[in-house]
Amino acid sequence: NISPPTNFHPTPPSAPWFCPRRPPRVTSPFASRYVRISLPRFKVPENSIPKEAAYQIINDELMLDGNPRLNLASFVTTWMEPECDKLIMASVNKNYVDMDEYPNRCVNMIAHLFNAPLGDGEAAVGVGTVGSSEAIMLAGLAFKRKWQNKKKAQGKPCDKPNIVTGANVQVCWEKFARYFEVELKEVKLRDGYYVMHPEKAAEMVDENTICVAAILGSTLNGEFEDVKRLNDLLIEKNKQTGGGFIAPFLYPELEWDFRLPLVKSINVSGHKYGLVYAGIGWVIWRSKEDLPEELIFHINYLGADQPTFTLNFSKGSSQVIAQYYQLIRLGFEGYRNIMENCQENATKLKEGLEQTGRFNIVSKDHGVPLVAFSLKDNSCHNEFEVSDMLRRFGWIVPAYTMPPDVQHVTVLRVVVREDFSRTLAERLVCDIEKVLHELDTLPARLSVKLGISPEDAKNGVAVKKTDLEVQREITTYWRKFVADRKKTSGVC
């Protein structure tokens, strides 16, 4: 028998054997004070807030964003396999600096895909970039430096370089020209021909032209530019051209890549039809001679000598690893199947739009899988109104005017990506028909009245405005009109 300690006092039977618990603390962010005040937007707040509240507040605001899967304006990949998502999250904290590993593997695979003239065991010349915009900057710098070196050796001035592009060129080429002081010479477009005309491009080339930039898939209508014809025209002038990621799988017989002798570098967006999340791009050079050695920096403070030629240094490695995953996971067969599916779904979407009898198809069958289309009759309602009203159904379909000299042409564009199924294509056509039906019930736009300012009308002065000014005023007017009368459909 064990006697109880002298200081032991039994608890009365009516009392519990433990202290009463305090009421549980309410941890829901919506029960906290942080949802009852506006957080700073332009200054760092004085005090910290709980992680749950910070997450919930940001997450709630992100809910107002459009659905990336329904954003048909963008070429950028919005879906990848869960296994690749895991690899991305596992490597999101890794810095992309080691040029001896994944980058070179991808560079060599892409170089062979583009038929680079490599010998047995010869490494390709290229680099991974933050999207194709940086790739274009690097390719342009290489062209400019080679041209400058040649001019200096000839004792000629080298202060007025230029590049020749089509007016349909993506804005990153304009950035290169402005940032690095290169004249941009644009080939204007014409009705029915919305890409760079090879003959006109060749005419613009002179002794100060550092390169001609050709696009294998115009941003405006997806059409391939005739790189082979351009190459043939420039043979005697000995200039260079550029290129893309779909043609090797859908059109292997098309000569656009390093099979053409004047193609000196190719930049490609891995985050578009390379099927990787933003942002990863690649630039591949034909040979070492096409990348001036003085542009390459060598560093050894990371443990070994490493060459680097990029505009930035630190960069996450997750997209590079994701590109490597896609290349080995899909292979040539997998990429071809995906591109064929995209092309077939684009064809079905085009057929559905044609059956409405309301649209002209601006895009071509031979090119990037997208559908660009315009209204046959936009005298009452225009493409901007169609784009605006489609947002009620969750769709983001851009409307835009063409570059010079076809500014009078307005188009809508649907980019068909891997995650755009046949069902979604059919649903989009159905929703477009609903929008057209509703627009038909609205009064016609007052284009003449909107083309004259109130002050000028009051003074009896009729000032003719440009088509673009009238178009902007009409769009603003109808956006307000539709917003005032439309009912919410449960879709942001």
Side-chain angles (χ1 to χ4, degrees), residues 412-431:
L412 295 149
R413 187 192 69 200
V414 173
V415 178
V416 178
R417 300 189 301 266
E418 177 188 9
D419 54 357
F420 187 77
S421 65
R422 184 71 54 85
T423 301
L424 287 179
E426 294 169 351
R427 177 64 182 270
L428 176 59
V429 173
C430 180
D431 290 341

Side-chain angles (χ1 to χ4, degrees), residues 147 157-162 181-183 206-210:
W147 174 83
C158 58
D159 57 337
K160 294 182 179 180
N162 68 67
E181 299 179 329
V182 176
E183 179 189 0
D206 57 31
E207 64 175 5
N208 291 330
T209 302
I210 63 174

Side-chain angles (χ1 to χ4, degrees), residues 167-441:
N168 59 311
V169 77
Q170 216 267 356
V171 70
C172 52
W173 281 102
E174 298 179 36
K175 286 184 178 181
F176 164 75
R178 190 177 303 178
Y179 293 168
F180 296 101
E181 299 179 329
V182 176
E183 179 189 0
L184 182 66
K185 301 171 70 172
E186 290 187 342
V187 177
K188 305 301 181 186
L189 308 186
R190 68 188 189 196
D191 283 325
Y193 197 88
Y194 303 123
V195 292
M196 180 176 64
H197 197 285
E199 279 76 9
K200 290 185 178 180
E203 291 173 3
M204 287 187 174
V205 172
D206 57 31
E207 64 175 5
N208 291 330
T209 302
I210 63 174
C211 74
V212 179
I215 307 173
L216 204 71
S218 172
T219 302
L220 301 178
N221 68 342
E223 186 177 354
F224 289 167
E225 292 186 337
D226 193 344
V227 185
K228 177 67 165 62
R229 174 64 178 157
L230 185 62
N231 176 84
D232 294 343
L233 290 170
L234 295 176
I235 285 290
E236 294 183 358
K237 295 188 175 183
N238 195 28
K239 299 301 175 185
Q240 295 84 15
T241 60
F245 225 135
I246 294 172
F249 308 107
L250 289 183
Y251 313 106
E253 74 287 349
L254 180 67
E255 292 186 35
W256 65 273
D257 52 19
F258 291 121
R259 284 171 289 183
L260 302 177
L262 294 187
V263 173
K264 300 300 182 181
S265 67
I266 298 174
N267 73 80
V268 61
S269 291
H271 61 217
K272 294 178 181 176
Y273 287 99
L275 308 181
V276 177
Y277 297 137
I280 181 70
W282 302 94
V283 57
I284 312 295
W285 283 272
R286 183 182 193 87
S287 65
K288 293 181 179 179
E289 290 71 27
D290 296 305
L291 176 58
E293 179 63 30
E294 62 263 34
L295 294 179
I296 302 174
F297 293 83
H298 293 266
I299 58 172
N300 60 10
Y301 55 79
L302 292 175
D305 179 71
Q306 292 187 12
T308 175
F309 178 41
T310 53
L311 297 181
N312 63 289
F313 188 69
S314 295
K315 174 188 179 302
S317 63
S318 54
Q319 270 77 20
V320 175
I321 293 173
Q323 183 74 83
Y324 184 55
Y325 171 90
Q326 292 289 55
L327 290 172
I328 67 170
R329 158 78 174 96
L330 297 174
F332 194 95
E333 177 190 25
Y335 269 99
R336 183 183 61 218
N337 290 339
I338 290 172
M339 299 310 158
E340 287 175 349
N341 285 340
C342 290
Q343 197 70 284
E344 290 176 8
N345 288 334
T347 300
K348 289 298 180 182
L349 175 60
K350 184 191 75 169
E351 293 172 354
L353 293 171
E354 288 176 330
Q355 289 173 5
T356 67
R358 303 287 293 272
F359 297 105
N360 291 317
I361 304 300
V362 178
S363 53
K364 306 295 182 181
D365 294 333
H366 198 71
V368 173
L370 64 80
V371 182
F373 52 103
S374 61
L375 287 166
K376 290 182 177 180
D377 180 10
N378 61 4
S379 60
C380 294
H381 302 287
N382 61 29
E383 291 80 2
F384 291 96
E385 296 169 64
V386 175
S387 174
D388 230 22
M389 295 184 71
L390 278 173
R391 285 180 175 265
R392 293 172 50 191
F393 299 92
W395 301 106
I396 302 175
V397 178
Y400 52 89
T401 55
M402 287 289 198
D405 284 330
V406 287
Q407 301 97 319
H408 58 280
V409 178
T410 305
V411 299
L412 295 149
R413 187 192 69 200
V414 173
V415 178
V416 178
R417 300 189 301 266
E418 177 188 9
D419 54 357
F420 187 77
S421 65
R422 184 71 54 85
T423 301
L424 287 179
E426 294 169 351
R427 177 64 182 270
L428 176 59
V429 173
C430 180
D431 290 341
I432 288 176
E433 289 179 327
K434 293 177 183 177
V435 166
L436 293 174
H437 177 72
E438 184 166 349
L439 282 174
D440 289 340
T441 65

